[in-house]
Amino acid sequence: MSLSRAKDLGLPLMNLVRLKGIPILEQLHLEERLLRTSSHNWCIVNDGTNVPTIVMGMSGKPAQLLELGPVMEDRVPVIKRFTGGGTVIVDKSTLFVSLICNKDDVPNVQPYPRSVMAWSGSLYGEVFKGINGFQLRENDYVFGDRKFGGNAQSIIRNRWIHHTSFLWDYNVRNMGYLKLPSRVPQYRKEITQISCVE
């Protein structure tokens, strides 16, 4: 992406941190430190985490979101992040991208979740340009009707963080640790209803 195109998208100048296989808990600690103590903008990219780990949003309730028996039996680590968002199991096939920004450095983005999501959807629309079916649907990144990226955010004073877990592949067995959430985006409800009719 050219510098002029980046400016058109409202991208601020950012420090880039590239990681590979760092445990997600370490990454989250780094992100929270940078969000709260740095005055710079950051883009953190972590190519997978070596130990499969369940990550829950800060208000997530394990009994409602996890199959506790198998999680405890298999000793799967479970952590809560400092941001909202849903529950996901991450592993070596997950690409994490976190954007930490000063609100004044991204003037077209209001420090509210919908505004940050719309901005990130435009940004990733450029990244995935030419790939058929990419879009932001509600709070998910999808190819067609298939979700491949989930997001979480935290907004404090004059800064915000938007982090995404892109699931490039997944182990079906690991999905068994998660319960279906009681709240799902409307488009996923529609897909489930269509699948049941077919």
Side-chain angles (χ1 to χ4, degrees), residues 118-167:
W119 174 80
S120 72
S122 296
L123 168 67
Y124 288 122
E126 284 294 313
V127 171
F128 296 110
K129 185 182 265 183
I131 298 177
N132 191 25
F134 172 80
Q135 61 182 315
L136 171 64
R137 291 194 71 182
E138 298 183 44
N139 295 319
D140 299 334
Y141 300 123
V142 299
F143 289 124
D145 288 329
R146 300 217 179 249
K147 176 180 177 178
F148 77 102
N151 305 285
Q153 300 172 348
S154 180
I155 300 168
I156 62 168
R157 295 180 293 283
N158 297 317
R159 290 172 64 74
W160 48 263
I161 182 171
H162 175 81
H163 42 210
T164 303
S165 299
F166 291 108
L167 303 176

mmCIF file of all heavy atoms in Angstrom, residues 118-167:
data_model
loop_
_atom_site.group_PDB
_atom_site.id
_atom_site.type_symbol
_atom_site.label_atom_id
_atom_site.label_comp_id
_atom_site.label_asym_id
_atom_site.label_seq_id
_atom_site.Cartn_x
_atom_site.Cartn_y
_atom_site.Cartn_z
ATOM 1 N N ALA A 118 -15.691 0.291 11.618
ATOM 2 C CA ALA A 118 -15.841 0.741 10.227
ATOM 3 C C ALA A 118 -14.479 1.091 9.634
ATOM 4 O O ALA A 118 -14.170 0.732 8.486
ATOM 5 C CB ALA A 118 -16.789 1.932 10.159
ATOM 6 N N TRP A 119 -13.659 1.778 10.401
ATOM 7 C CA TRP A 119 -12.312 2.154 9.943
ATOM 8 C C TRP A 119 -11.479 0.905 9.675
ATOM 9 O O TRP A 119 -10.827 0.793 8.636
ATOM 10 C CB TRP A 119 -11.649 3.052 10.987
ATOM 11 C CG TRP A 119 -10.230 3.392 10.697
ATOM 12 C CD1 TRP A 119 -9.773 4.342 9.830
ATOM 13 C CD2 TRP A 119 -9.066 2.798 11.278
ATOM 14 N NE1 TRP A 119 -8.396 4.374 9.836
ATOM 15 C CE2 TRP A 119 -7.940 3.428 10.728
ATOM 16 C CE3 TRP A 119 -8.873 1.794 12.222
ATOM 17 C CZ2 TRP A 119 -6.642 3.095 11.081
ATOM 18 C CZ3 TRP A 119 -7.577 1.452 12.575
ATOM 19 C CH2 TRP A 119 -6.487 2.106 12.000
ATOM 20 N N SER A 120 -11.513 -0.059 10.610
ATOM 21 C CA SER A 120 -10.719 -1.276 10.416
ATOM 22 C C SER A 120 -11.239 -2.077 9.218
ATOM 23 O O SER A 120 -10.460 -2.684 8.488
ATOM 24 C CB SER A 120 -10.710 -2.138 11.681
ATOM 25 O OG SER A 120 -11.961 -2.762 11.880
ATOM 26 N N GLY A 121 -12.566 -2.058 9.001
ATOM 27 C CA GLY A 121 -13.124 -2.738 7.834
ATOM 28 C C GLY A 121 -12.601 -2.145 6.534
ATOM 29 O O GLY A 121 -12.284 -2.869 5.585
ATOM 30 N N SER A 122 -12.468 -0.809 6.498
ATOM 31 C CA SER A 122 -11.894 -0.146 5.307
ATOM 32 C C SER A 122 -10.429 -0.514 5.138
ATOM 33 O O SER A 122 -9.969 -0.789 4.025
ATOM 34 C CB SER A 122 -12.020 1.371 5.437
ATOM 35 O OG SER A 122 -13.363 1.749 5.466
ATOM 36 N N LEU A 123 -9.700 -0.535 6.245
ATOM 37 C CA LEU A 123 -8.279 -0.892 6.206
ATOM 38 C C LEU A 123 -8.098 -2.312 5.668
ATOM 39 O O LEU A 123 -7.354 -2.544 4.714
ATOM 40 C CB LEU A 123 -7.669 -0.778 7.609
ATOM 41 C CG LEU A 123 -6.281 -1.385 7.791
ATOM 42 C CD1 LEU A 123 -5.255 -0.607 6.988
ATOM 43 C CD2 LEU A 123 -5.909 -1.409 9.267
ATOM 44 N N TYR A 124 -8.808 -3.269 6.250
ATOM 45 C CA TYR A 124 -8.654 -4.652 5.798
ATOM 46 C C TYR A 124 -9.285 -4.872 4.423
ATOM 47 O O TYR A 124 -8.884 -5.794 3.703
ATOM 48 C CB TYR A 124 -9.195 -5.630 6.844
ATOM 49 C CG TYR A 124 -8.289 -5.697 8.056
ATOM 50 C CD1 TYR A 124 -8.758 -5.394 9.325
ATOM 51 C CD2 TYR A 124 -6.952 -6.037 7.925
ATOM 52 C CE1 TYR A 124 -7.924 -5.434 10.429
ATOM 53 C CE2 TYR A 124 -6.106 -6.076 9.021
ATOM 54 C CZ TYR A 124 -6.595 -5.785 10.270
ATOM 55 O OH TYR A 124 -5.761 -5.825 11.358
ATOM 56 N N GLY A 125 -10.234 -4.039 4.053
ATOM 57 C CA GLY A 125 -10.754 -4.092 2.683
ATOM 58 C C GLY A 125 -9.647 -3.841 1.677
ATOM 59 O O GLY A 125 -9.596 -4.467 0.609
ATOM 60 N N GLU A 126 -8.730 -2.924 2.007
ATOM 61 C CA GLU A 126 -7.564 -2.671 1.142
ATOM 62 C C GLU A 126 -6.600 -3.852 1.172
ATOM 63 O O GLU A 126 -6.054 -4.244 0.155
ATOM 64 C CB GLU A 126 -6.833 -1.401 1.593
ATOM 65 C CG GLU A 126 -7.529 -0.131 1.200
ATOM 66 C CD GLU A 126 -7.548 0.063 -0.313
ATOM 67 O OE1 GLU A 126 -6.502 -0.102 -0.974
ATOM 68 O OE2 GLU A 126 -8.630 0.377 -0.832
ATOM 69 N N VAL A 127 -6.385 -4.417 2.356
ATOM 70 C CA VAL A 127 -5.465 -5.550 2.489
ATOM 71 C C VAL A 127 -5.953 -6.736 1.653
ATOM 72 O O VAL A 127 -5.169 -7.391 0.975
ATOM 73 C CB VAL A 127 -5.318 -5.960 3.979
ATOM 74 C CG1 VAL A 127 -4.543 -7.266 4.116
ATOM 75 C CG2 VAL A 127 -4.652 -4.841 4.779
ATOM 76 N N PHE A 128 -7.263 -7.000 1.693
ATOM 77 C CA PHE A 128 -7.825 -8.163 1.001
ATOM 78 C C PHE A 128 -8.454 -7.807 -0.340
ATOM 79 O O PHE A 128 -9.226 -8.591 -0.898
ATOM 80 C CB PHE A 128 -8.844 -8.868 1.905
ATOM 81 C CG PHE A 128 -8.225 -9.439 3.142
ATOM 82 C CD1 PHE A 128 -8.491 -8.884 4.390
ATOM 83 C CD2 PHE A 128 -7.358 -10.517 3.069
ATOM 84 C CE1 PHE A 128 -7.918 -9.395 5.540
ATOM 85 C CE2 PHE A 128 -6.774 -11.037 4.220
ATOM 86 C CZ PHE A 128 -7.056 -10.476 5.450
ATOM 87 N N LYS A 129 -8.107 -6.636 -0.863
ATOM 88 C CA LYS A 129 -8.640 -6.221 -2.174
ATOM 89 C C LYS A 129 -8.298 -7.278 -3.220
ATOM 90 O O LYS A 129 -7.185 -7.788 -3.272
ATOM 91 C CB LYS A 129 -8.023 -4.880 -2.582
ATOM 92 C CG LYS A 129 -8.618 -4.316 -3.860
ATOM 93 C CD LYS A 129 -7.937 -3.024 -4.239
ATOM 94 C CE LYS A 129 -8.751 -1.893 -3.680
ATOM 95 N NZ LYS A 129 -8.215 -0.586 -4.043
ATOM 96 N N GLY A 130 -9.277 -7.619 -4.020
ATOM 97 C CA GLY A 130 -9.061 -8.613 -5.064
ATOM 98 C C GLY A 130 -9.410 -10.027 -4.622
ATOM 99 O O GLY A 130 -9.436 -10.939 -5.439
ATOM 100 N N ILE A 131 -9.640 -10.228 -3.325
ATOM 101 C CA ILE A 131 -10.055 -11.544 -2.841
ATOM 102 C C ILE A 131 -11.569 -11.515 -2.742
ATOM 103 O O ILE A 131 -12.139 -10.719 -1.995
ATOM 104 C CB ILE A 131 -9.406 -11.887 -1.483
ATOM 105 C CG1 ILE A 131 -7.886 -11.937 -1.641
ATOM 106 C CG2 ILE A 131 -9.953 -13.220 -0.963
ATOM 107 C CD1 ILE A 131 -7.143 -12.194 -0.365
ATOM 108 N N ASN A 132 -12.199 -12.366 -3.505
ATOM 109 C CA ASN A 132 -13.649 -12.357 -3.621
ATOM 110 C C ASN A 132 -14.341 -12.604 -2.282
ATOM 111 O O ASN A 132 -14.005 -13.532 -1.566
ATOM 112 C CB ASN A 132 -14.092 -13.423 -4.626
ATOM 113 C CG ASN A 132 -15.547 -13.291 -4.996
ATOM 114 O OD1 ASN A 132 -16.122 -12.210 -4.906
ATOM 115 N ND2 ASN A 132 -16.131 -14.395 -5.410
ATOM 116 N N GLY A 133 -15.298 -11.753 -1.960
ATOM 117 C CA GLY A 133 -16.161 -11.987 -0.821
ATOM 118 C C GLY A 133 -15.734 -11.382 0.496
ATOM 119 O O GLY A 133 -16.426 -11.560 1.491
ATOM 120 N N PHE A 134 -14.595 -10.661 0.539
ATOM 121 C CA PHE A 134 -14.209 -10.077 1.823
ATOM 122 C C PHE A 134 -15.172 -8.957 2.200
ATOM 123 O O PHE A 134 -15.525 -8.123 1.377
ATOM 124 C CB PHE A 134 -12.789 -9.489 1.814
ATOM 125 C CG PHE A 134 -12.511 -8.722 3.082
ATOM 126 C CD1 PHE A 134 -12.164 -9.396 4.235
ATOM 127 C CD2 PHE A 134 -12.684 -7.351 3.135
ATOM 128 C CE1 PHE A 134 -11.969 -8.704 5.427
ATOM 129 C CE2 PHE A 134 -12.487 -6.644 4.324
ATOM 130 C CZ PHE A 134 -12.130 -7.330 5.465
ATOM 131 N N GLN A 135 -15.574 -8.960 3.465
ATOM 132 C CA GLN A 135 -16.363 -7.852 3.996
ATOM 133 C C GLN A 135 -16.378 -7.882 5.513
ATOM 134 O O GLN A 135 -16.045 -8.891 6.129
ATOM 135 C CB GLN A 135 -17.784 -7.872 3.442
ATOM 136 C CG GLN A 135 -18.579 -9.122 3.778
ATOM 137 C CD GLN A 135 -19.957 -9.091 3.160
ATOM 138 O OE1 GLN A 135 -20.651 -8.090 3.210
ATOM 139 N NE2 GLN A 135 -20.376 -10.202 2.568
ATOM 140 N N LEU A 136 -16.753 -6.744 6.072
ATOM 141 C CA LEU A 136 -17.020 -6.637 7.497
ATOM 142 C C LEU A 136 -18.516 -6.870 7.661
ATOM 143 O O LEU A 136 -19.324 -6.133 7.090
ATOM 144 C CB LEU A 136 -16.634 -5.242 8.006
ATOM 145 C CG LEU A 136 -17.049 -4.898 9.435
ATOM 146 C CD1 LEU A 136 -16.353 -5.801 10.442
ATOM 147 C CD2 LEU A 136 -16.717 -3.430 9.731
ATOM 148 N N ARG A 137 -18.881 -7.908 8.388
ATOM 149 C CA ARG A 137 -20.305 -8.192 8.647
ATOM 150 C C ARG A 137 -20.500 -8.119 10.146
ATOM 151 O O ARG A 137 -19.948 -8.923 10.886
ATOM 152 C CB ARG A 137 -20.703 -9.567 8.134
ATOM 153 C CG ARG A 137 -20.686 -9.580 6.606
ATOM 154 C CD ARG A 137 -21.353 -10.754 6.018
ATOM 155 N NE ARG A 137 -22.799 -10.716 6.170
ATOM 156 C CZ ARG A 137 -23.572 -11.703 5.745
ATOM 157 N NH1 ARG A 137 -23.042 -12.770 5.170
ATOM 158 N NH2 ARG A 137 -24.868 -11.637 5.895
ATOM 159 N N GLU A 138 -21.295 -7.130 10.534
ATOM 160 C CA GLU A 138 -21.500 -6.815 11.940
ATOM 161 C C GLU A 138 -20.128 -6.606 12.567
ATOM 162 O O GLU A 138 -19.451 -5.653 12.220
ATOM 163 C CB GLU A 138 -22.390 -7.857 12.600
ATOM 164 C CG GLU A 138 -23.775 -7.872 11.928
ATOM 165 C CD GLU A 138 -24.767 -8.810 12.543
ATOM 166 O OE1 GLU A 138 -24.858 -8.847 13.780
ATOM 167 O OE2 GLU A 138 -25.479 -9.485 11.779
ATOM 168 N N ASN A 139 -19.644 -7.496 13.420
ATOM 169 C CA ASN A 139 -18.325 -7.306 14.039
ATOM 170 C C ASN A 139 -17.299 -8.330 13.578
ATOM 171 O O ASN A 139 -16.266 -8.489 14.215
ATOM 172 C CB ASN A 139 -18.458 -7.371 15.574
ATOM 173 C CG ASN A 139 -19.285 -6.233 16.102
ATOM 174 O OD1 ASN A 139 -19.158 -5.106 15.643
ATOM 175 N ND2 ASN A 139 -20.150 -6.520 17.049
ATOM 176 N N ASP A 140 -17.584 -9.027 12.501
ATOM 177 C CA ASP A 140 -16.706 -10.095 12.019
ATOM 178 C C ASP A 140 -16.147 -9.753 10.647
ATOM 179 O O ASP A 140 -16.811 -9.112 9.839
ATOM 180 C CB ASP A 140 -17.486 -11.413 11.883
ATOM 181 C CG ASP A 140 -18.080 -11.911 13.190
ATOM 182 O OD1 ASP A 140 -17.531 -11.575 14.262
ATOM 183 O OD2 ASP A 140 -19.085 -12.640 13.135
ATOM 184 N N TYR A 141 -14.948 -10.257 10.362
ATOM 185 C CA TYR A 141 -14.424 -10.228 9.006
ATOM 186 C C TYR A 141 -14.772 -11.570 8.383
ATOM 187 O O TYR A 141 -14.557 -12.627 8.995
ATOM 188 C CB TYR A 141 -12.912 -10.028 8.999
ATOM 189 C CG TYR A 141 -12.482 -8.740 9.655
ATOM 190 C CD1 TYR A 141 -11.602 -8.739 10.717
ATOM 191 C CD2 TYR A 141 -12.969 -7.510 9.207
ATOM 192 C CE1 TYR A 141 -11.207 -7.564 11.313
ATOM 193 C CE2 TYR A 141 -12.582 -6.327 9.807
ATOM 194 C CZ TYR A 141 -11.703 -6.359 10.856
ATOM 195 O OH TYR A 141 -11.314 -5.192 11.456
ATOM 196 N N VAL A 142 -15.325 -11.535 7.177
ATOM 197 C CA VAL A 142 -15.776 -12.753 6.525
ATOM 198 C C VAL A 142 -15.319 -12.783 5.070
ATOM 199 O O VAL A 142 -15.058 -11.745 4.465
ATOM 200 C CB VAL A 142 -17.322 -12.887 6.573
ATOM 201 C CG1 VAL A 142 -17.837 -12.941 8.000
ATOM 202 C CG2 VAL A 142 -18.008 -11.773 5.801
ATOM 203 N N PHE A 143 -15.227 -13.996 4.549
ATOM 204 C CA PHE A 143 -15.155 -14.242 3.109
ATOM 205 C C PHE A 143 -16.492 -14.891 2.777
ATOM 206 O O PHE A 143 -16.760 -16.017 3.212
ATOM 207 C CB PHE A 143 -13.997 -15.166 2.735
ATOM 208 C CG PHE A 143 -12.643 -14.543 2.877
ATOM 209 C CD1 PHE A 143 -11.666 -15.133 3.670
ATOM 210 C CD2 PHE A 143 -12.330 -13.363 2.220
ATOM 211 C CE1 PHE A 143 -10.413 -14.566 3.789
ATOM 212 C CE2 PHE A 143 -11.076 -12.787 2.344
ATOM 213 C CZ PHE A 143 -10.116 -13.384 3.126
ATOM 214 N N GLY A 144 -17.345 -14.178 2.072
ATOM 215 C CA GLY A 144 -18.699 -14.678 1.825
ATOM 216 C C GLY A 144 -19.441 -14.734 3.151
ATOM 217 O O GLY A 144 -19.571 -13.740 3.845
ATOM 218 N N ASP A 145 -19.877 -15.937 3.528
ATOM 219 C CA ASP A 145 -20.564 -16.130 4.810
ATOM 220 C C ASP A 145 -19.670 -16.796 5.849
ATOM 221 O O ASP A 145 -20.144 -17.165 6.912
ATOM 222 C CB ASP A 145 -21.821 -16.997 4.608
ATOM 223 C CG ASP A 145 -22.923 -16.239 3.880
ATOM 224 O OD1 ASP A 145 -23.001 -15.010 4.045
ATOM 225 O OD2 ASP A 145 -23.693 -16.882 3.148
ATOM 226 N N ARG A 146 -18.405 -16.958 5.549
ATOM 227 C CA ARG A 146 -17.502 -17.664 6.464
ATOM 228 C C ARG A 146 -16.652 -16.683 7.259
ATOM 229 O O ARG A 146 -15.816 -15.974 6.699
ATOM 230 C CB ARG A 146 -16.602 -18.618 5.692
ATOM 231 C CG ARG A 146 -17.405 -19.656 4.941
ATOM 232 C CD ARG A 146 -16.682 -20.955 4.967
ATOM 233 N NE ARG A 146 -17.463 -21.959 4.276
ATOM 234 C CZ ARG A 146 -18.045 -22.963 4.893
ATOM 235 N NH1 ARG A 146 -17.956 -23.076 6.187
ATOM 236 N NH2 ARG A 146 -18.713 -23.852 4.205
ATOM 237 N N LYS A 147 -16.863 -16.700 8.550
ATOM 238 C CA LYS A 147 -16.074 -15.847 9.442
ATOM 239 C C LYS A 147 -14.640 -16.356 9.484
ATOM 240 O O LYS A 147 -14.396 -17.548 9.616
ATOM 241 C CB LYS A 147 -16.673 -15.878 10.847
ATOM 242 C CG LYS A 147 -15.864 -15.100 11.865
ATOM 243 C CD LYS A 147 -16.498 -15.168 13.242
ATOM 244 C CE LYS A 147 -15.633 -14.432 14.254
ATOM 245 N NZ LYS A 147 -16.245 -14.441 15.589
ATOM 246 N N PHE A 148 -13.692 -15.439 9.393
ATOM 247 C CA PHE A 148 -12.297 -15.824 9.553
ATOM 248 C C PHE A 148 -11.554 -14.865 10.473
ATOM 249 O O PHE A 148 -10.387 -15.072 10.777
ATOM 250 C CB PHE A 148 -11.579 -15.927 8.200
ATOM 251 C CG PHE A 148 -11.208 -14.587 7.615
ATOM 252 C CD1 PHE A 148 -9.908 -14.116 7.696
ATOM 253 C CD2 PHE A 148 -12.168 -13.796 6.996
ATOM 254 C CE1 PHE A 148 -9.570 -12.889 7.166
ATOM 255 C CE2 PHE A 148 -11.832 -12.575 6.464
ATOM 256 C CZ PHE A 148 -10.531 -12.113 6.538
ATOM 257 N N GLY A 149 -12.227 -13.827 10.963
ATOM 258 C CA GLY A 149 -11.582 -12.888 11.865
ATOM 259 C C GLY A 149 -12.550 -12.340 12.888
ATOM 260 O O GLY A 149 -13.653 -11.921 12.544
ATOM 261 N N GLY A 150 -12.138 -12.380 14.157
ATOM 262 C CA GLY A 150 -12.920 -11.803 15.240
ATOM 263 C C GLY A 150 -12.140 -10.661 15.873
ATOM 264 O O GLY A 150 -10.913 -10.608 15.788
ATOM 265 N N ASN A 151 -12.853 -9.762 16.507
ATOM 266 C CA ASN A 151 -12.247 -8.528 17.005
ATOM 267 C C ASN A 151 -12.615 -8.262 18.455
ATOM 268 O O ASN A 151 -13.648 -8.709 18.934
ATOM 269 C CB ASN A 151 -12.764 -7.342 16.183
ATOM 270 C CG ASN A 151 -12.534 -7.555 14.720
ATOM 271 O OD1 ASN A 151 -11.431 -7.429 14.249
ATOM 272 N ND2 ASN A 151 -13.589 -7.926 13.994
ATOM 273 N N ALA A 152 -11.780 -7.476 19.095
ATOM 274 C CA ALA A 152 -12.059 -6.970 20.436
ATOM 275 C C ALA A 152 -11.434 -5.586 20.531
ATOM 276 O O ALA A 152 -10.465 -5.278 19.829
ATOM 277 C CB ALA A 152 -11.480 -7.895 21.500
ATOM 278 N N GLN A 153 -12.010 -4.764 21.394
ATOM 279 C CA GLN A 153 -11.539 -3.386 21.519
ATOM 280 C C GLN A 153 -11.539 -2.942 22.970
ATOM 281 O O GLN A 153 -12.264 -3.493 23.801
ATOM 282 C CB GLN A 153 -12.446 -2.431 20.746
ATOM 283 C CG GLN A 153 -12.539 -2.717 19.290
ATOM 284 C CD GLN A 153 -13.595 -1.871 18.604
ATOM 285 O OE1 GLN A 153 -14.409 -1.224 19.232
ATOM 286 N NE2 GLN A 153 -13.581 -1.902 17.287
ATOM 287 N N SER A 154 -10.733 -1.928 23.203
ATOM 288 C CA SER A 154 -10.790 -1.185 24.455
ATOM 289 C C SER A 154 -10.529 0.268 24.092
ATOM 290 O O SER A 154 -9.644 0.566 23.285
ATOM 291 C CB SER A 154 -9.738 -1.683 25.451
ATOM 292 O OG SER A 154 -9.819 -0.946 26.658
ATOM 293 N N ILE A 155 -11.317 1.144 24.678
ATOM 294 C CA ILE A 155 -11.182 2.578 24.411
ATOM 295 C C ILE A 155 -10.992 3.271 25.747
ATOM 296 O O ILE A 155 -11.811 3.118 26.652
ATOM 297 C CB ILE A 155 -12.432 3.107 23.677
ATOM 298 C CG1 ILE A 155 -12.591 2.372 22.338
ATOM 299 C CG2 ILE A 155 -12.341 4.619 23.486
ATOM 300 C CD1 ILE A 155 -13.913 2.581 21.642
ATOM 301 N N ILE A 156 -9.875 3.972 25.865
ATOM 302 C CA ILE A 156 -9.583 4.701 27.100
ATOM 303 C C ILE A 156 -9.232 6.136 26.741
ATOM 304 O O ILE A 156 -8.651 6.390 25.693
ATOM 305 C CB ILE A 156 -8.437 4.065 27.910
ATOM 306 C CG1 ILE A 156 -7.123 4.066 27.120
ATOM 307 C CG2 ILE A 156 -8.784 2.636 28.332
ATOM 308 C CD1 ILE A 156 -5.914 3.718 27.941
ATOM 309 N N ARG A 157 -9.588 7.047 27.578
ATOM 310 C CA ARG A 157 -9.279 8.465 27.384
ATOM 311 C C ARG A 157 -9.041 8.834 25.916
ATOM 312 O O ARG A 157 -9.981 8.927 25.157
ATOM 313 C CB ARG A 157 -8.091 8.863 28.261
ATOM 314 C CG ARG A 157 -8.390 8.775 29.754
ATOM 315 C CD ARG A 157 -7.228 9.178 30.619
ATOM 316 N NE ARG A 157 -6.071 8.291 30.561
ATOM 317 C CZ ARG A 157 -5.976 7.124 31.167
ATOM 318 N NH1 ARG A 157 -6.989 6.670 31.862
ATOM 319 N NH2 ARG A 157 -4.888 6.406 31.081
ATOM 320 N N ASN A 158 -7.803 9.032 25.545
ATOM 321 C CA ASN A 158 -7.467 9.511 24.199
ATOM 322 C C ASN A 158 -6.861 8.431 23.304
ATOM 323 O O ASN A 158 -6.247 8.744 22.292
ATOM 324 C CB ASN A 158 -6.483 10.684 24.298
ATOM 325 C CG ASN A 158 -7.101 11.855 25.013
ATOM 326 O OD1 ASN A 158 -8.260 12.186 24.769
ATOM 327 N ND2 ASN A 158 -6.345 12.476 25.908
ATOM 328 N N ARG A 159 -7.022 7.159 23.697
ATOM 329 C CA ARG A 159 -6.407 6.065 22.930
ATOM 330 C C ARG A 159 -7.384 4.905 22.819
ATOM 331 O O ARG A 159 -8.314 4.777 23.611
ATOM 332 C CB ARG A 159 -5.123 5.585 23.625
ATOM 333 C CG ARG A 159 -4.011 6.610 23.550
ATOM 334 C CD ARG A 159 -2.806 6.226 24.401
ATOM 335 N NE ARG A 159 -2.099 5.016 24.028
ATOM 336 C CZ ARG A 159 -1.299 4.871 22.982
ATOM 337 N NH1 ARG A 159 -1.124 5.873 22.148
ATOM 338 N NH2 ARG A 159 -0.661 3.741 22.757
ATOM 339 N N TRP A 160 -7.117 4.076 21.835
ATOM 340 C CA TRP A 160 -7.898 2.850 21.703
ATOM 341 C C TRP A 160 -7.036 1.733 21.109
ATOM 342 O O TRP A 160 -6.005 1.986 20.502
ATOM 343 C CB TRP A 160 -9.157 3.048 20.867
ATOM 344 C CG TRP A 160 -9.016 3.751 19.552
ATOM 345 C CD1 TRP A 160 -9.255 5.067 19.316
ATOM 346 C CD2 TRP A 160 -8.599 3.193 18.302
ATOM 347 N NE1 TRP A 160 -9.020 5.358 17.994
ATOM 348 C CE2 TRP A 160 -8.625 4.226 17.348
ATOM 349 C CE3 TRP A 160 -8.226 1.915 17.892
ATOM 350 C CZ2 TRP A 160 -8.278 4.027 16.017
ATOM 351 C CZ3 TRP A 160 -7.873 1.702 16.570
ATOM 352 C CH2 TRP A 160 -7.911 2.761 15.645
ATOM 353 N N ILE A 161 -7.482 0.519 21.370
ATOM 354 C CA ILE A 161 -6.859 -0.663 20.771
ATOM 355 C C ILE A 161 -7.946 -1.449 20.055
ATOM 356 O O ILE A 161 -9.080 -1.555 20.531
ATOM 357 C CB ILE A 161 -6.148 -1.555 21.823
ATOM 358 C CG1 ILE A 161 -5.478 -2.754 21.139
ATOM 359 C CG2 ILE A 161 -7.118 -2.006 22.906
ATOM 360 C CD1 ILE A 161 -4.567 -3.565 22.054
ATOM 361 N N HIS A 162 -7.581 -1.960 18.910
ATOM 362 C CA HIS A 162 -8.468 -2.839 18.137
ATOM 363 C C HIS A 162 -7.619 -4.049 17.785
ATOM 364 O O HIS A 162 -6.629 -3.929 17.077
ATOM 365 C CB HIS A 162 -8.924 -2.117 16.861
ATOM 366 C CG HIS A 162 -9.732 -2.980 15.947
ATOM 367 N ND1 HIS A 162 -11.075 -3.205 16.138
ATOM 368 C CD2 HIS A 162 -9.376 -3.684 14.849
ATOM 369 C CE1 HIS A 162 -11.515 -4.002 15.176
ATOM 370 N NE2 HIS A 162 -10.509 -4.313 14.389
ATOM 371 N N HIS A 163 -7.959 -5.214 18.357
ATOM 372 C CA HIS A 163 -7.182 -6.384 17.971
ATOM 373 C C HIS A 163 -8.057 -7.435 17.312
ATOM 374 O O HIS A 163 -9.233 -7.564 17.591
ATOM 375 C CB HIS A 163 -6.312 -6.976 19.078
ATOM 376 C CG HIS A 163 -6.886 -7.081 20.432
ATOM 377 N ND1 HIS A 163 -6.096 -7.013 21.540
ATOM 378 C CD2 HIS A 163 -8.132 -7.245 20.895
ATOM 379 C CE1 HIS A 163 -6.840 -7.152 22.615
ATOM 380 N NE2 HIS A 163 -8.067 -7.298 22.245
ATOM 381 N N THR A 164 -7.407 -8.130 16.386
ATOM 382 C CA THR A 164 -8.086 -9.110 15.553
ATOM 383 C C THR A 164 -7.335 -10.431 15.617
ATOM 384 O O THR A 164 -6.109 -10.455 15.586
ATOM 385 C CB THR A 164 -8.139 -8.633 14.086
ATOM 386 O OG1 THR A 164 -8.794 -7.362 14.048
ATOM 387 C CG2 THR A 164 -8.868 -9.615 13.203
ATOM 388 N N SER A 165 -8.106 -11.508 15.694
ATOM 389 C CA SER A 165 -7.563 -12.863 15.553
ATOM 390 C C SER A 165 -8.068 -13.397 14.221
ATOM 391 O O SER A 165 -9.266 -13.607 14.043
ATOM 392 C CB SER A 165 -8.072 -13.770 16.684
ATOM 393 O OG SER A 165 -7.671 -13.292 17.932
ATOM 394 N N PHE A 166 -7.138 -13.553 13.282
ATOM 395 C CA PHE A 166 -7.473 -14.136 11.986
ATOM 396 C C PHE A 166 -7.220 -15.640 12.066
ATOM 397 O O PHE A 166 -6.097 -16.064 12.333
ATOM 398 C CB PHE A 166 -6.608 -13.542 10.869
ATOM 399 C CG PHE A 166 -6.906 -12.110 10.559
ATOM 400 C CD1 PHE A 166 -6.021 -11.107 10.910
ATOM 401 C CD2 PHE A 166 -8.078 -11.748 9.903
ATOM 402 C CE1 PHE A 166 -6.284 -9.779 10.613
ATOM 403 C CE2 PHE A 166 -8.363 -10.424 9.600
ATOM 404 C CZ PHE A 166 -7.454 -9.439 9.956
ATOM 405 N N LEU A 167 -8.256 -16.430 11.861
ATOM 406 C CA LEU A 167 -8.136 -17.882 11.922
ATOM 407 C C LEU A 167 -7.942 -18.418 10.504
ATOM 408 O O LEU A 167 -8.895 -18.512 9.735
ATOM 409 C CB LEU A 167 -9.396 -18.499 12.550
ATOM 410 C CG LEU A 167 -9.749 -17.993 13.949
ATOM 411 C CD1 LEU A 167 -11.066 -18.593 14.417
ATOM 412 C CD2 LEU A 167 -8.638 -18.289 14.929
#
